[in-house]
Amino acid sequence: MCSSLIFSMSLFNYHLPSLGNAILFLCFVSFASSTLTFTAAANNEKQTEALLTWKSSLEDHSQSLLSAWRGNNSCDFMGVTCDNYGSIIHLNLSNIGLRGTLDGLDFSLLTNLLSLDISNNWIYGSIPSSIGNLSKLNCLTLCNNTLHGNIPPSIGKLKNLHILYLCENYLGGHIPRVIGVLRSLEILSLWKNRLSGPIPLEIGGLTSLTELLLPINNLNGSIPPSIANLTHLSVLHLCKNEISSLIPREIGNLISLNKLELAENNLVGLIPTSLGNLGNLTKLSISQNNLSGPIPREIDLAINSLDGPIPPSIQNLSNLNLLYICSNNLSGPIHGKIGKLLSLKLLDLSNNSLNGSIPSSIGSLTNLTILRLSYNNFYGSLPPEVNQITHLSAFDLSYNELEGQLPDEICQGNQLQNFSIINNHFTGLVPKSLRNRSALIRVRLDRNQLTGNITEAFGIYPRLELVDLSHNYLYGELSWKWESCHNLTSLTISNNNISGEIPSIFGKMTQLQKLDLSSNNLSGVIPRELASFQFLLNLILDNNRITGDIPNEIGFLSKLQYLNLASNNFRGLIPVQLVQCTNLLSLNLSKNNLQGSIPSEMGNMRFLQFLDLSQNQLTGRISQELGKLSVLETMNVSHNRLFGSIPHTFDDMLALTIVDVSYNNLEGPLPNVKAFNEAPFEAIWHNKRLCGNAVGLQKCNSPMSKKGDGDGGHQTTAILALSFSGFLLLAFILIILLIFVRCQRKNITRENIGRSNDLDFLRILNFDGKAFYERILEATEGFDSKFYVGEGAYGIVYKAELPTGQIVAVKKFSSSHEEEFPHFKSFEREI
């Protein structure tokens, strides 16, 4: 109204004779202004009614989120912006947790809307076709909801649309062809939906488009050649679809393209040479497709089945800052001119068959932040020029044939987080520069030939999560510095020459999930402070010289899955508290000096798959409770002093595939399960009186087994049969001669013969071994353990009392095969 008056006064000054007309015009403007005010008020009232109606259609909690929506003026509502005439032009309700549908929103009453943003909520249902009434809309953002159904064709009515974000929903169907009429569209983002079908040819009509984002859908077919019309496009992202066919050569016309991402599709054929025209490209990802052939001279990258060398023309892509050529079959050396890519920030050539030495020109890539050359065949030493790359955050040379010393000043920048040189032939000391890299998160130096004192080589790393120094030649003692690694989840220093004790301060690494110090020279005891490892999954301390008892506190490690304390000097009992580790999958306590019995409570370890208690001093019977280990696959209790029978509950251990109970005093039938029935003889021998279906044992219902022959009787019989067959033949001849001679001794009375019977029997030992064997069986009651004396070089010694009262010592040989006695002269002396 004020502006109209000023305009009217101007007319009066310059056109005084037309005063009547001016007054008439002033009256018209005043009337029009009043009309507009009345219309705006009416329009605002309708808009308010539309928003409140939609609010009432939402779920109750969402209505409370919009509690500020009350009154008659929608311009005062949260998230609403109006123009000077009271019309809503922006509606932004993102990120507030709304739940409901869009069906209750009458878009025909919001025709002046320029932007609509309802992203990051819980809006479900379909996109109403009435959304096409928003004819002035510039920006539509509905991302990150649970919308489903097809994209309505009415979207093509939004001729003024510049930005369309429908990403991260459950929209399905095809991309509507009418989308091609949106000539003003600059950004189209439909990623992470369930869209299917081909990309419509009409997409080429979006000539103003700068970003096309359609990844993580189910799009198939081919990339339409009409894409060549999108000359303003800077980002093309079609990853993780099912797009097949060739990469169209027309894609080379997109000269403004900065990022081209076609990874994880079904693209086939050669990489078109036209990609060499993309001089502004900074990121190119064509990974995980079915492309083949060599890399063309005009281009540089893919993760497919590419072969051949990297072309020298790679230097032409001088603006490239991300270069992935990983996971192919590339061969040959890296061309020296790769040093021309001065803008490069990421270089990934991993998982190929590249060889040769790493060129010194790599030192020119001073902007590199990530360097990955792992899983190739690079050899030779690392060039000292690599020290010039000071901004590295990730450095990975793993699984190559590199050798020599690592440069002392490698990776000097403070940004270094990941350092990995796994499985090379590096020698010498750990680089000094690593000592002060406090940002380190992962360090992998394992499987090299590094030396030096571990105490001095490493510093304090508060962010460190994983370190693996295994299979080197490091020495020294474990440092107190490790306690500062509060985020450490995995510490592996196995197969080195580390000495000293495990520091009690290790207990401060409360996030630890894996501790592997195996195959070193550690001594002392396990500190009880390790009980604070509440998240520990793997505790591996085998092949050291650790002594003392296994601490009861180990039972506090409730999440423990793998425990290996084998080949140490542990003594005492197996702690019953171990059964509190109910998640154990593997338990190895072998080759120690543990005593007592196997705790029956171990039967409660219901997830246990591997159990090795061999080569200890365990005694007692095997508890029937162990039969409850229904998923146990491997059990080794050999070389102990266990006695009694194997419980019948073992018949239920159907998962058992490998078993070893040898070198004990077990007796009775073997369990009727596959592991025992198919066990090799070496896994059950050197016991007392075992019987069963296993090879080399007597059947449990045979006469010999009833007499208690079992395992030992069979072994002795086999030895006599195989080792003395010649002696038995000679004995038979001599016995005939002896009978003839005795018949001629008429002056010897029956009484004297009776008294001397046993003594004569001993004298003819070499003539009638079988008869002597039967007499010994009777005297020892089938080699019962109560006659046990000790163990010699070739078997067990028993004490026997003959019917005459004469006491003799008898050795039961323990082998059933002649090849078990390689030193036959020593064997003869034993005889």
Side-chain angles (χ1 to χ4, degrees):
M1 183 71 175
C2 293
S3 59
S4 300
L5 286 172
I6 294 172
F7 179 72
S8 300
M9 291 300 292
S10 300
L11 287 176
F12 180 79
N13 290 331
Y14 288 97
H15 303 282
L16 189 60
S18 304
L19 179 60
N21 292 333
I23 294 173
L24 181 63
F25 178 76
L26 180 61
C27 292
F28 172 78
V29 169
S30 177
F31 173 77
S33 176
S34 299
T35 303
L36 286 174
T37 302
F38 176 79
T39 303
N43 186 48
N44 183 267
E45 183 179 346
K46 291 181 180 179
Q47 292 176 155
T48 302
E49 182 181 351
L51 292 183
L52 291 177
T53 300
W54 180 53
K55 171 187 172 182
S56 64
S57 72
L58 300 175
E59 296 185 7
D60 292 342
H61 177 67
S62 298
Q63 293 183 34
S64 65
L65 295 174
L66 297 176
S67 59
W69 282 19
R70 57 179 181 271
N72 299 320
N73 186 3
S74 57
C75 295
D76 295 331
F77 289 0
M78 177 190 70
V80 174
T81 303
C82 295
D83 61 10
N84 292 333
Y85 298 101
S87 291
I88 299 176
I89 56 175
H90 301 295
L91 180 58
N92 187 345
L93 299 175
S94 61
N95 296 289
I96 62 174
L98 294 178
R99 188 183 294 271
T101 70
L102 294 175
D103 296 335
L105 184 57
D106 190 351
F107 289 106
S108 64
L109 299 177
L110 303 173
T111 53
N112 291 317
L113 205 61
L114 300 179
S115 70
L116 173 61
D117 187 351
I118 317 180
S119 59
N120 296 292
N121 284 289
W122 297 99
I123 304 298
Y124 52 88
S126 59
I127 300 175
S129 60
S130 61
I131 203 167
N133 294 322
L134 304 178
S135 57
K136 297 181 181 180
L137 201 64
N138 290 326
C139 177
L140 175 59
T141 305
L142 302 178
C143 282
N144 221 346
N145 282 284
T146 56
L147 294 166
H148 62 269
N150 298 337
I151 299 175
S154 61
I155 206 92
K157 297 180 181 180
L158 308 179
K159 300 295 179 63
N160 293 307
L161 203 62
H162 293 170
I163 298 173
L164 176 57
Y165 285 122
L166 303 181
C167 49
E168 289 197 83
N169 281 285
Y170 298 97
L171 299 171
H174 296 183
I175 299 175
R177 298 175 62 180
V178 295
I179 208 167
V181 304
L182 305 179
R183 301 298 172 87
S184 299
L185 199 63
E186 297 177 3
I187 299 176
L188 173 59
S189 176
L190 305 177
W191 62 284
K192 206 172 183 180
N193 283 290
R194 295 175 177 173
L195 298 171
S196 59
I199 300 172
L201 292 172
E202 289 77 8
I203 203 91
L206 306 178
T207 52
S208 299
L209 209 62
T210 60
E211 296 184 22
L212 176 57
L213 309 171
L214 305 176
I216 318 179
N217 282 288
N218 298 315
L219 298 172
N220 52 36
S222 59
I223 300 173
S226 62
I227 204 169
N229 299 330
L230 310 182
T231 54
H232 297 290
L233 205 63
S234 62
V235 178
L236 176 57
H237 195 346
L238 305 178
C239 289
K240 294 187 179 181
N241 279 286
E242 298 173 7
I243 301 172
S244 55
S245 77
L246 305 173
I247 299 175
R249 59 184 178 82
E250 289 83 358
I251 212 166
N253 294 341
L254 307 179
I255 56 176
S256 299
L257 210 59
N258 292 322
K259 296 179 181 179
L260 174 58
E261 302 190 43
L262 306 177
E264 296 187 54
N265 279 285
N266 298 315
L267 298 169
V268 296
L270 304 176
I271 298 177
T273 58
S274 61
L275 290 191
N277 300 332
L278 307 180
N280 292 313
L281 207 61
T282 60
K283 182 177 182 180
L284 175 58
S285 176
I286 319 180
S287 63
Q288 299 183 49
N289 282 284
N290 297 313
L291 299 169
S292 58
I295 298 178
R297 293 174 58 86
E298 296 81 2
I299 195 56
D300 68 312
L301 150 72
I303 307 178
N304 297 278
S305 300
L306 300 173
D307 52 32
I310 298 174
S313 58
I314 196 173
Q315 64 179 319
N316 297 333
L317 301 175
S318 56
N319 291 321
L320 205 67
N321 57 44
L322 301 173
L323 175 56
Y324 296 90
I325 319 184
C326 52
S327 300
N328 281 284
N329 297 314
L330 298 174
S331 58
I334 302 177
H335 200 280
K337 293 183 179 179
I338 200 171
K340 299 289 185 179
L341 304 177
L342 301 182
S343 299
L344 210 59
K345 294 182 178 180
L346 184 152
L347 175 59
D348 190 344
L349 307 180
S350 60
N351 289 279
N352 283 288
S353 298
L354 297 168
N355 55 35
S357 59
I358 296 175
S360 59
S361 61
I362 202 167
S364 302
L365 307 179
T366 54
N367 290 314
L368 268 185
T369 59
I370 297 176
L371 174 61
R372 296 194 183 105
L373 306 179
S374 56
Y375 291 95
N376 281 287
N377 298 314
F378 293 120
Y379 55 80
S381 58
L382 204 57
E385 287 81 1
V386 77
N387 288 344
Q388 300 171 20
I389 311 175
T390 57
H391 301 296
L392 283 173
S393 63
F395 180 80
D396 191 353
L397 304 179
S398 302
Y399 295 95
N400 281 286
E401 301 294 331
L402 296 166
E403 58 187 13
Q405 291 190 337
L406 290 165
D408 258 350
E409 302 304 321
I410 193 171
C411 301
Q412 296 180 65
N414 292 324
Q415 296 93 343
L416 188 64
Q417 296 180 1
N418 300 325
F419 186 87
S420 181
I421 57 169
I422 309 168
N423 204 42
N424 280 282
H425 308 291
F426 288 117
T427 56
L429 303 176
V430 176
K432 293 179 180 178
S433 57
L434 292 184
R435 191 181 308 164
N436 299 318
R437 302 284 78 85
S438 57
L440 277 171
I441 295 176
R442 295 173 63 92
V443 178
R444 296 290 304 271
L445 309 182
D446 42 307
R447 299 184 184 278
N448 282 280
Q449 301 168 30
L450 300 174
T451 61
N453 192 322
I454 191 173
T455 309
E456 302 171 355
F458 297 95
I460 296 175
Y461 311 108
R463 299 177 59 190
L464 193 64
E465 295 178 3
L466 182 148
V467 58
D468 193 337
L469 311 177
S470 61
H471 295 274
N472 280 289
Y473 299 109
L474 300 171
Y475 57 86
E477 297 186 359
L478 297 171
S479 169
W480 58 269
K481 297 177 183 178
W482 296 109
E483 71 166 320
S484 302
C485 304
H486 300 300
N487 294 319
L488 196 62
T489 60
S490 179
L491 175 60
T492 304
I493 319 181
S494 62
N495 291 274
N496 280 280
N497 297 315
I498 310 301
S499 57
E501 299 184 0
I502 302 174
S504 59
I505 55 174
F506 268 34
K508 295 185 178 181
M509 296 185 291
T510 54
Q511 301 300 313
L512 208 61
Q513 298 178 21
K514 178 182 179 180
L515 177 60
D516 186 352
L517 305 176
S518 60
S519 299
N520 281 287
N521 294 312
L522 294 171
S523 57
V525 300
I526 295 180
R528 301 183 184 277
E529 286 78 4
L530 267 73
S532 60
F533 293 159
Q534 296 299 309
F535 301 103
L536 196 65
L537 301 176
N538 299 349
L539 178 58
I540 306 173
L541 303 176
D542 58 295
N543 286 293
N544 280 287
R545 295 184 288 111
I546 304 173
T547 60
D549 296 340
I550 299 175
N552 296 335
E553 286 79 2
I554 210 163
F556 291 121
L557 307 179
S558 58
K559 297 184 182 297
L560 198 63
Q561 295 181 356
Y562 296 89
L563 176 60
N564 191 343
L565 305 180
S567 300
N568 280 285
N569 297 316
F570 289 111
R571 61 178 184 270
L573 307 177
I574 298 175
V576 177
Q577 287 78 4
L578 259 180
V579 302
Q580 297 175 23
C581 303
T582 53
N583 291 309
L584 265 183
L585 303 176
S586 176
L587 174 60
N588 191 345
L589 305 179
S590 63
K591 298 179 183 177
N592 282 287
N593 295 310
L594 298 173
Q595 300 170 348
S597 59
I598 302 173
S600 60
E601 291 84 355
M602 290 180 68
N604 295 323
M605 295 179 174
R606 55 196 178 106
F607 299 119
L608 199 63
Q609 299 173 8
F610 179 92
L611 176 63
D612 192 347
L613 305 177
S614 62
Q615 300 191 49
N616 280 287
Q617 305 295 325
L618 298 175
T619 59
R621 297 178 179 272
I622 299 177
S623 171
Q624 64 178 4
E625 295 296 312
L626 295 185
K628 293 163 58 177
L629 300 175
S630 58
V631 297
L632 192 67
E633 298 175 0
T634 300
M635 182 181 75
N636 189 348
V637 294
S638 65
H639 294 83
N640 280 289
R641 297 176 181 175
L642 302 172
F643 59 80
S645 60
I646 302 175
H648 63 86
T649 55
F650 276 45
D651 291 342
D652 299 326
M653 300 175 71
L654 301 180
L656 201 61
T657 55
I658 299 175
V659 66
D660 191 345
V661 296
S662 61
Y663 290 92
N664 281 288
N665 293 314
L666 299 171
E667 58 183 319
L670 290 179
N672 188 25
V673 289
K674 183 178 180 180
F676 282 97
N677 291 335
E678 299 182 2
F681 188 61
E682 292 79 7
I684 54 178
W685 69 351
H686 287 282
N687 274 289
K688 184 179 177 182
R689 288 179 293 180
L690 286 175
C691 61
N693 298 323
V695 176
L697 285 188
Q698 291 287 338
K699 301 295 183 183
C700 290
N701 56 359
S702 69
M704 188 63 74
S705 66
K706 289 180 181 179
K707 293 172 62 178
D709 177 42
D711 180 28
H714 177 81
Q715 294 174 36
T716 307
T717 303
I719 292 173
L720 291 173
L722 295 175
S723 303
F724 302 112
S725 58
F727 289 108
L728 291 177
L729 179 61
L730 178 61
F732 177 77
I733 298 172
L734 292 177
I735 288 171
I736 297 299
L737 292 175
L738 180 60
I739 293 173
F740 177 79
V741 172
R742 290 177 64 188
C743 289
Q744 302 302 316
R745 296 181 179 178
K746 295 181 179 180
N747 58 335
I748 300 176
T749 65
R750 293 179 182 271
E751 183 178 354
N752 289 339
I753 291 175
R755 287 195 301 265
S756 63
N757 185 54
D758 285 299
L759 192 57
D760 290 342
F761 185 73
L762 289 174
R763 285 201 301 265
I764 64 169
L765 171 61
N766 290 327
F767 305 105
D768 195 352
K770 183 177 181 181
F772 179 71
Y773 173 66
E774 293 293 337
R775 185 66 58 84
I776 291 300
L777 274 180
E778 294 175 0
T780 61
E781 297 179 15
F783 296 103
D784 194 275
S785 60
K786 66 184 179 181
F787 297 99
Y788 175 86
V789 175
E791 192 165 349
Y794 289 96
I796 300 174
V797 180
Y798 296 86
K799 180 175 72 172
E801 183 175 357
L802 300 178
T804 60
Q806 193 172 9
I807 297 175
V808 295
V810 180
K811 174 170 289 187
K812 181 185 77 170
F813 295 99
S814 56
S815 176
S816 60
H817 304 284
E818 289 179 311
E819 60 267 28
E820 293 293 334
F821 300 95
H823 305 293
F824 194 74
K825 289 184 179 181
S826 298
F827 176 72
E828 285 185 311
R829 285 196 292 272
E830 284 285 336
I831 295 299

